[in-house]
PDB file of all heavy atoms in Angstrom:
ATOM      1  N   THR A 114      16.853 -25.409  -7.900  1.00 95.00           N
ATOM      2  CA  THR A 114      18.118 -24.704  -8.229  1.00 95.00           C
ATOM      3  C   THR A 114      18.206 -23.388  -7.476  1.00 95.00           C
ATOM      4  O   THR A 114      19.251 -22.994  -6.906  1.00 95.00           O
ATOM      5  CB  THR A 114      18.217 -24.471  -9.750  1.00 95.00           C
ATOM      6  OG1 THR A 114      18.200 -25.743 -10.386  1.00 95.00           O
ATOM      7  CG2 THR A 114      19.468 -23.728 -10.115  1.00 95.00           C
ATOM      8  N   ALA A 115      17.096 -22.659  -7.451  1.00 95.00           N
ATOM      9  CA  ALA A 115      17.068 -21.381  -6.745  1.00 95.00           C
ATOM     10  C   ALA A 115      17.256 -21.545  -5.245  1.00 95.00           C
ATOM     11  O   ALA A 115      18.015 -20.841  -4.595  1.00 95.00           O
ATOM     12  CB  ALA A 115      15.758 -20.639  -7.047  1.00 95.00           C
ATOM     13  N   TYR A 116      16.572 -22.533  -4.682  1.00 94.00           N
ATOM     14  CA  TYR A 116      16.664 -22.792  -3.235  1.00 94.00           C
ATOM     15  C   TYR A 116      18.107 -23.157  -2.867  1.00 94.00           C
ATOM     16  O   TYR A 116      18.637 -22.625  -1.902  1.00 94.00           O
ATOM     17  CB  TYR A 116      15.713 -23.933  -2.851  1.00 94.00           C
ATOM     18  CG  TYR A 116      15.640 -24.159  -1.372  1.00 94.00           C
ATOM     19  CD1 TYR A 116      14.784 -23.432  -0.596  1.00 94.00           C
ATOM     20  CD2 TYR A 116      16.458 -25.101  -0.747  1.00 94.00           C
ATOM     21  CE1 TYR A 116      14.684 -23.613   0.783  1.00 94.00           C
ATOM     22  CE2 TYR A 116      16.399 -25.298   0.625  1.00 94.00           C
ATOM     23  CZ  TYR A 116      15.484 -24.561   1.394  1.00 94.00           C
ATOM     24  OH  TYR A 116      15.436 -24.753   2.753  1.00 94.00           O
ATOM     25  N   THR A 117      18.732 -24.003  -3.657  1.00 93.00           N
ATOM     26  CA  THR A 117      20.119 -24.421  -3.385  1.00 93.00           C
ATOM     27  C   THR A 117      21.073 -23.237  -3.533  1.00 93.00           C
ATOM     28  O   THR A 117      21.970 -23.037  -2.714  1.00 93.00           O
ATOM     29  CB  THR A 117      20.547 -25.549  -4.327  1.00 93.00           C
ATOM     30  OG1 THR A 117      19.584 -26.621  -4.186  1.00 93.00           O
ATOM     31  CG2 THR A 117      21.912 -26.072  -4.025  1.00 93.00           C
ATOM     32  N   SER A 118      20.893 -22.459  -4.590  1.00 92.00           N
ATOM     33  CA  SER A 118      21.733 -21.265  -4.829  1.00 92.00           C
ATOM     34  C   SER A 118      21.592 -20.259  -3.663  1.00 92.00           C
ATOM     35  O   SER A 118      22.579 -19.712  -3.206  1.00 92.00           O
ATOM     36  CB  SER A 118      21.372 -20.590  -6.134  1.00 92.00           C
ATOM     37  OG  SER A 118      21.565 -21.495  -7.213  1.00 92.00           O
ATOM     38  N   ASN A 119      20.345 -20.072  -3.239  1.00 91.00           N
ATOM     39  CA  ASN A 119      20.100 -19.146  -2.115  1.00 91.00           C
ATOM     40  C   ASN A 119      20.849 -19.645  -0.872  1.00 91.00           C
ATOM     41  O   ASN A 119      21.462 -18.848  -0.145  1.00 91.00           O
ATOM     42  CB  ASN A 119      18.623 -18.977  -1.828  1.00 91.00           C
ATOM     43  CG  ASN A 119      18.314 -17.900  -0.847  1.00 91.00           C
ATOM     44  OD1 ASN A 119      18.866 -16.830  -0.904  1.00 91.00           O
ATOM     45  ND2 ASN A 119      17.489 -18.226   0.094  1.00 91.00           N
ATOM     46  N   SER A 120      20.747 -20.932  -0.593  1.00 90.00           N
ATOM     47  CA  SER A 120      21.432 -21.490   0.578  1.00 90.00           C
ATOM     48  C   SER A 120      22.955 -21.306   0.475  1.00 90.00           C
ATOM     49  O   SER A 120      23.578 -20.961   1.468  1.00 90.00           O
ATOM     50  CB  SER A 120      21.112 -22.990   0.689  1.00 90.00           C
ATOM     51  OG  SER A 120      19.756 -23.183   0.915  1.00 90.00           O
ATOM     52  N   MET A 121      23.487 -21.538  -0.682  1.00 87.00           N
ATOM     53  CA  MET A 121      24.940 -21.334  -0.872  1.00 87.00           C
ATOM     54  C   MET A 121      25.363 -19.879  -0.610  1.00 87.00           C
ATOM     55  O   MET A 121      26.347 -19.605   0.014  1.00 87.00           O
ATOM     56  CB  MET A 121      25.398 -21.782  -2.269  1.00 87.00           C
ATOM     57  CG  MET A 121      25.376 -23.285  -2.439  1.00 87.00           C
ATOM     58  SD  MET A 121      26.218 -23.860  -3.951  1.00 87.00           S
ATOM     59  CE  MET A 121      25.226 -23.146  -5.234  1.00 87.00           C
ATOM     60  N   MET A 122      24.532 -18.961  -1.122  1.00 86.00           N
ATOM     61  CA  MET A 122      24.840 -17.530  -0.939  1.00 86.00           C
ATOM     62  C   MET A 122      24.662 -17.109   0.520  1.00 86.00           C
ATOM     63  O   MET A 122      25.347 -16.198   0.999  1.00 86.00           O
ATOM     64  CB  MET A 122      24.017 -16.670  -1.866  1.00 86.00           C
ATOM     65  CG  MET A 122      24.484 -16.765  -3.304  1.00 86.00           C
ATOM     66  SD  MET A 122      23.666 -15.598  -4.410  1.00 86.00           S
ATOM     67  CE  MET A 122      22.040 -16.234  -4.489  1.00 86.00           C
ATOM     68  N   GLU A 123      23.733 -17.738   1.236  1.00 83.00           N
ATOM     69  CA  GLU A 123      23.521 -17.405   2.652  1.00 83.00           C
ATOM     70  C   GLU A 123      24.673 -17.909   3.497  1.00 83.00           C
ATOM     71  O   GLU A 123      25.043 -17.269   4.465  1.00 83.00           O
ATOM     72  CB  GLU A 123      22.238 -18.071   3.160  1.00 83.00           C
ATOM     73  CG  GLU A 123      20.961 -17.439   2.687  1.00 83.00           C
ATOM     74  CD  GLU A 123      20.641 -16.128   3.409  1.00 83.00           C
ATOM     75  OE1 GLU A 123      20.902 -16.039   4.637  1.00 83.00           O
ATOM     76  OE2 GLU A 123      20.130 -15.192   2.764  1.00 83.00           O
ATOM     77  N   CYS A 124      25.217 -19.038   3.152  1.00 79.00           N
ATOM     78  CA  CYS A 124      26.247 -19.682   3.956  1.00 79.00           C
ATOM     79  C   CYS A 124      27.647 -19.193   3.708  1.00 79.00           C
ATOM     80  O   CYS A 124      28.515 -19.226   4.603  1.00 79.00           O
ATOM     81  CB  CYS A 124      26.224 -21.221   3.774  1.00 79.00           C
ATOM     82  SG  CYS A 124      24.730 -21.942   4.316  1.00 79.00           S
ATOM     83  N   CYS A 125      27.911 -18.781   2.528  1.00 69.00           N
ATOM     84  CA  CYS A 125      29.305 -18.498   2.127  1.00 69.00           C
ATOM     85  C   CYS A 125      29.377 -17.167   1.392  1.00 69.00           C
ATOM     86  O   CYS A 125      28.401 -16.731   0.799  1.00 69.00           O
ATOM     87  CB  CYS A 125      29.833 -19.585   1.237  1.00 69.00           C
ATOM     88  SG  CYS A 125      29.669 -21.259   1.845  1.00 69.00           S
ATOM     89  N   SER A 126      30.525 -16.602   1.382  1.00 66.00           N
ATOM     90  CA  SER A 126      30.776 -15.434   0.540  1.00 66.00           C
ATOM     91  C   SER A 126      31.849 -15.847  -0.510  1.00 66.00           C
ATOM     92  O   SER A 126      32.547 -16.813  -0.308  1.00 66.00           O
ATOM     93  CB  SER A 126      31.243 -14.248   1.354  1.00 66.00           C
ATOM     94  OG  SER A 126      32.600 -14.453   1.801  1.00 66.00           O
ATOM     95  N   ALA A 127      31.903 -15.058  -1.561  1.00 61.00           N
ATOM     96  CA  ALA A 127      32.891 -15.399  -2.603  1.00 61.00           C
ATOM     97  C   ALA A 127      34.313 -15.252  -2.044  1.00 61.00           C
ATOM     98  O   ALA A 127      35.243 -15.948  -2.511  1.00 61.00           O
ATOM     99  CB  ALA A 127      32.679 -14.489  -3.815  1.00 61.00           C
ATOM    100  N   ASP A 128      34.472 -14.342  -1.088  1.00 67.00           N
ATOM    101  CA  ASP A 128      35.814 -14.188  -0.482  1.00 67.00           C
ATOM    102  C   ASP A 128      36.202 -15.411   0.297  1.00 67.00           C
ATOM    103  O   ASP A 128      37.357 -15.880   0.253  1.00 67.00           O
ATOM    104  CB  ASP A 128      35.829 -12.967   0.461  1.00 67.00           C
ATOM    105  CG  ASP A 128      35.605 -11.673  -0.259  1.00 67.00           C
ATOM    106  OD1 ASP A 128      35.900 -11.618  -1.495  1.00 67.00           O
ATOM    107  OD2 ASP A 128      35.133 -10.723   0.355  1.00 67.00           O
ATOM    108  N   ASP A 129      35.245 -16.007   1.051  1.00 71.00           N
ATOM    109  CA  ASP A 129      35.514 -17.221   1.830  1.00 71.00           C
ATOM    110  C   ASP A 129      35.627 -18.458   0.944  1.00 71.00           C
ATOM    111  O   ASP A 129      36.342 -19.401   1.276  1.00 71.00           O
ATOM    112  CB  ASP A 129      34.384 -17.456   2.817  1.00 71.00           C
ATOM    113  CG  ASP A 129      34.280 -16.327   3.884  1.00 71.00           C
ATOM    114  OD1 ASP A 129      35.276 -15.628   4.048  1.00 71.00           O
ATOM    115  OD2 ASP A 129      33.196 -16.181   4.431  1.00 71.00           O
ATOM    116  N   ASN A 130      34.868 -18.479  -0.118  1.00 73.00           N
ATOM    117  CA  ASN A 130      34.816 -19.663  -1.005  1.00 73.00           C
ATOM    118  C   ASN A 130      34.719 -19.208  -2.443  1.00 73.00           C
ATOM    119  O   ASN A 130      33.646 -19.148  -3.010  1.00 73.00           O
ATOM    120  CB  ASN A 130      33.600 -20.506  -0.590  1.00 73.00           C
ATOM    121  CG  ASN A 130      33.599 -21.835  -1.311  1.00 73.00           C
ATOM    122  OD1 ASN A 130      34.377 -22.088  -2.213  1.00 73.00           O
ATOM    123  ND2 ASN A 130      32.623 -22.643  -0.969  1.00 73.00           N
ATOM    124  N   PRO A 131      35.865 -18.945  -3.083  1.00 76.00           N
ATOM    125  CA  PRO A 131      35.816 -18.491  -4.492  1.00 76.00           C
ATOM    126  C   PRO A 131      35.246 -19.520  -5.432  1.00 76.00           C
ATOM    127  O   PRO A 131      34.790 -19.170  -6.520  1.00 76.00           O
ATOM    128  CB  PRO A 131      37.322 -18.216  -4.826  1.00 76.00           C
ATOM    129  CG  PRO A 131      38.104 -18.700  -3.664  1.00 76.00           C
ATOM    130  CD  PRO A 131      37.217 -18.981  -2.553  1.00 76.00           C
ATOM    131  N   GLY A 132      35.198 -20.798  -5.014  1.00 81.00           N
ATOM    132  CA  GLY A 132      34.584 -21.807  -5.876  1.00 81.00           C
ATOM    133  C   GLY A 132      33.068 -21.690  -5.935  1.00 81.00           C
ATOM    134  O   GLY A 132      32.427 -22.390  -6.716  1.00 81.00           O
ATOM    135  N   LEU A 133      32.510 -20.804  -5.179  1.00 82.00           N
ATOM    136  CA  LEU A 133      31.057 -20.564  -5.186  1.00 82.00           C
ATOM    137  C   LEU A 133      30.587 -19.830  -6.415  1.00 82.00           C
ATOM    138  O   LEU A 133      29.465 -19.999  -6.875  1.00 82.00           O
ATOM    139  CB  LEU A 133      30.689 -19.806  -3.902  1.00 82.00           C
ATOM    140  CG  LEU A 133      29.263 -19.490  -3.621  1.00 82.00           C
ATOM    141  CD1 LEU A 133      28.510 -20.762  -3.300  1.00 82.00           C
ATOM    142  CD2 LEU A 133      29.195 -18.561  -2.397  1.00 82.00           C
ATOM    143  N   VAL A 134      31.450 -18.964  -6.937  1.00 83.00           N
ATOM    144  CA  VAL A 134      31.055 -18.083  -8.020  1.00 83.00           C
ATOM    145  C   VAL A 134      30.574 -18.846  -9.258  1.00 83.00           C
ATOM    146  O   VAL A 134      29.510 -18.616  -9.803  1.00 83.00           O
ATOM    147  CB  VAL A 134      32.191 -17.118  -8.408  1.00 83.00           C
ATOM    148  CG1 VAL A 134      31.789 -16.265  -9.609  1.00 83.00           C
ATOM    149  CG2 VAL A 134      32.527 -16.206  -7.220  1.00 83.00           C
ATOM    150  N   GLY A 135      31.353 -19.838  -9.682  1.00 87.00           N
ATOM    151  CA  GLY A 135      31.018 -20.623 -10.892  1.00 87.00           C
ATOM    152  C   GLY A 135      29.653 -21.283 -10.798  1.00 87.00           C
ATOM    153  O   GLY A 135      28.818 -21.093 -11.705  1.00 87.00           O
ATOM    154  N   PRO A 136      29.434 -22.110  -9.760  1.00 90.00           N
ATOM    155  CA  PRO A 136      28.133 -22.785  -9.648  1.00 90.00           C
ATOM    156  C   PRO A 136      26.937 -21.839  -9.560  1.00 90.00           C
ATOM    157  O   PRO A 136      25.909 -22.061 -10.182  1.00 90.00           O
ATOM    158  CB  PRO A 136      28.248 -23.641  -8.382  1.00 90.00           C
ATOM    159  CG  PRO A 136      29.712 -23.829  -8.201  1.00 90.00           C
ATOM    160  CD  PRO A 136      30.339 -22.584  -8.743  1.00 90.00           C
ATOM    161  N   VAL A 137      27.075 -20.749  -8.804  1.00 89.00           N
ATOM    162  CA  VAL A 137      25.961 -19.826  -8.647  1.00 89.00           C
ATOM    163  C   VAL A 137      25.682 -19.114  -9.993  1.00 89.00           C
ATOM    164  O   VAL A 137      24.535 -18.978 -10.406  1.00 89.00           O
ATOM    165  CB  VAL A 137      26.185 -18.825  -7.506  1.00 89.00           C
ATOM    166  CG1 VAL A 137      25.134 -17.718  -7.502  1.00 89.00           C
ATOM    167  CG2 VAL A 137      26.187 -19.563  -6.150  1.00 89.00           C
ATOM    168  N   CYS A 138      26.726 -18.681 -10.668  1.00 89.00           N
ATOM    169  CA  CYS A 138      26.557 -18.004 -11.970  1.00 89.00           C
ATOM    170  C   CYS A 138      25.958 -18.966 -13.005  1.00 89.00           C
ATOM    171  O   CYS A 138      25.139 -18.560 -13.862  1.00 89.00           O
ATOM    172  CB  CYS A 138      27.847 -17.395 -12.422  1.00 89.00           C
ATOM    173  SG  CYS A 138      28.369 -15.993 -11.368  1.00 89.00           S
ATOM    174  N   LYS A 139      26.367 -20.228 -12.947  1.00 93.00           N
ATOM    175  CA  LYS A 139      25.787 -21.239 -13.855  1.00 93.00           C
ATOM    176  C   LYS A 139      24.277 -21.410 -13.554  1.00 93.00           C
ATOM    177  O   LYS A 139      23.460 -21.497 -14.473  1.00 93.00           O
ATOM    178  CB  LYS A 139      26.504 -22.574 -13.675  1.00 93.00           C
ATOM    179  CG  LYS A 139      26.130 -23.618 -14.683  1.00 93.00           C
ATOM    180  CD  LYS A 139      26.990 -24.875 -14.510  1.00 93.00           C
ATOM    181  CE  LYS A 139      26.655 -25.916 -15.538  1.00 93.00           C
ATOM    182  NZ  LYS A 139      27.462 -27.109 -15.397  1.00 93.00           N
ATOM    183  N   ALA A 140      23.911 -21.389 -12.268  1.00 93.00           N
ATOM    184  CA  ALA A 140      22.508 -21.499 -11.887  1.00 93.00           C
ATOM    185  C   ALA A 140      21.735 -20.261 -12.339  1.00 93.00           C
ATOM    186  O   ALA A 140      20.619 -20.383 -12.807  1.00 93.00           O
ATOM    187  CB  ALA A 140      22.409 -21.653 -10.364  1.00 93.00           C
ATOM    188  N   VAL A 141      22.360 -19.094 -12.252  1.00 93.00           N
ATOM    189  CA  VAL A 141      21.739 -17.864 -12.710  1.00 93.00           C
ATOM    190  C   VAL A 141      21.425 -17.909 -14.198  1.00 93.00           C
ATOM    191  O   VAL A 141      20.330 -17.616 -14.644  1.00 93.00           O
ATOM    192  CB  VAL A 141      22.605 -16.619 -12.383  1.00 93.00           C
ATOM    193  CG1 VAL A 141      22.138 -15.373 -13.120  1.00 93.00           C
ATOM    194  CG2 VAL A 141      22.564 -16.359 -10.872  1.00 93.00           C
ATOM    195  N   ARG A 142      22.418 -18.423 -14.977  1.00 93.00           N
ATOM    196  CA  ARG A 142      22.172 -18.584 -16.412  1.00 93.00           C
ATOM    197  C   ARG A 142      21.004 -19.530 -16.689  1.00 93.00           C
ATOM    198  O   ARG A 142      20.147 -19.240 -17.526  1.00 93.00           O
ATOM    199  CB  ARG A 142      23.427 -19.142 -17.103  1.00 93.00           C
ATOM    200  CG  ARG A 142      24.481 -18.144 -17.417  1.00 93.00           C
ATOM    201  CD  ARG A 142      25.596 -18.745 -18.292  1.00 93.00           C
ATOM    202  NE  ARG A 142      26.787 -17.968 -18.142  1.00 93.00           N
ATOM    203  CZ  ARG A 142      27.842 -18.257 -17.322  1.00 93.00           C
ATOM    204  NH1 ARG A 142      27.775 -19.369 -16.614  1.00 93.00           N
ATOM    205  NH2 ARG A 142      28.857 -17.471 -17.247  1.00 93.00           N
ATOM    206  N   TYR A 143      20.997 -20.640 -16.000  1.00 95.00           N
ATOM    207  CA  TYR A 143      19.932 -21.651 -16.179  1.00 95.00           C
ATOM    208  C   TYR A 143      18.553 -21.041 -15.829  1.00 95.00           C
ATOM    209  O   TYR A 143      17.595 -21.191 -16.598  1.00 95.00           O
ATOM    210  CB  TYR A 143      20.215 -22.871 -15.268  1.00 95.00           C
ATOM    211  CG  TYR A 143      19.044 -23.780 -15.082  1.00 95.00           C
ATOM    212  CD1 TYR A 143      18.517 -24.546 -16.136  1.00 95.00           C
ATOM    213  CD2 TYR A 143      18.399 -23.873 -13.823  1.00 95.00           C
ATOM    214  CE1 TYR A 143      17.445 -25.405 -15.927  1.00 95.00           C
ATOM    215  CE2 TYR A 143      17.330 -24.733 -13.633  1.00 95.00           C
ATOM    216  CZ  TYR A 143      16.851 -25.470 -14.671  1.00 95.00           C
ATOM    217  OH  TYR A 143      15.782 -26.296 -14.489  1.00 95.00           O
ATOM    218  N   MET A 144      18.469 -20.323 -14.700  1.00 95.00           N
ATOM    219  CA  MET A 144      17.158 -19.748 -14.288  1.00 95.00           C
ATOM    220  C   MET A 144      16.728 -18.681 -15.281  1.00 95.00           C
ATOM    221  O   MET A 144      15.518 -18.632 -15.643  1.00 95.00           O
ATOM    222  CB  MET A 144      17.296 -19.179 -12.865  1.00 95.00           C
ATOM    223  CG  MET A 144      17.362 -20.269 -11.834  1.00 95.00           C
ATOM    224  SD  MET A 144      17.428 -19.629 -10.123  1.00 95.00           S
ATOM    225  CE  MET A 144      19.141 -19.166 -10.012  1.00 95.00           C
ATOM    226  N   GLN A 145      17.657 -17.841 -15.756  1.00 95.00           N
ATOM    227  CA  GLN A 145      17.314 -16.816 -16.726  1.00 95.00           C
ATOM    228  C   GLN A 145      16.849 -17.443 -18.050  1.00 95.00           C
ATOM    229  O   GLN A 145      15.870 -16.987 -18.694  1.00 95.00           O
ATOM    230  CB  GLN A 145      18.486 -15.886 -16.974  1.00 95.00           C
ATOM    231  CG  GLN A 145      18.747 -14.977 -15.802  1.00 95.00           C
ATOM    232  CD  GLN A 145      19.936 -14.073 -15.959  1.00 95.00           C
ATOM    233  OE1 GLN A 145      19.899 -12.965 -15.468  1.00 95.00           O
ATOM    234  NE2 GLN A 145      20.957 -14.476 -16.687  1.00 95.00           N
TER     235      GLN A 145
END
Side-chain angles (χ1 to χ4, degrees):
T114 300
Y116 187 86
T117 305
S118 299
N119 188 46
S120 297
M121 288 191 297
M122 288 188 290
E123 286 284 323
C124 296
C125 307
S126 72
D128 296 336
D129 298 338
N130 188 354
L133 182 68
V134 176
V137 171
C138 293
K139 187 175 182 180
V141 166
R142 278 189 204 98
Y143 165 69
M144 289 182 281
Q145 290 178 147

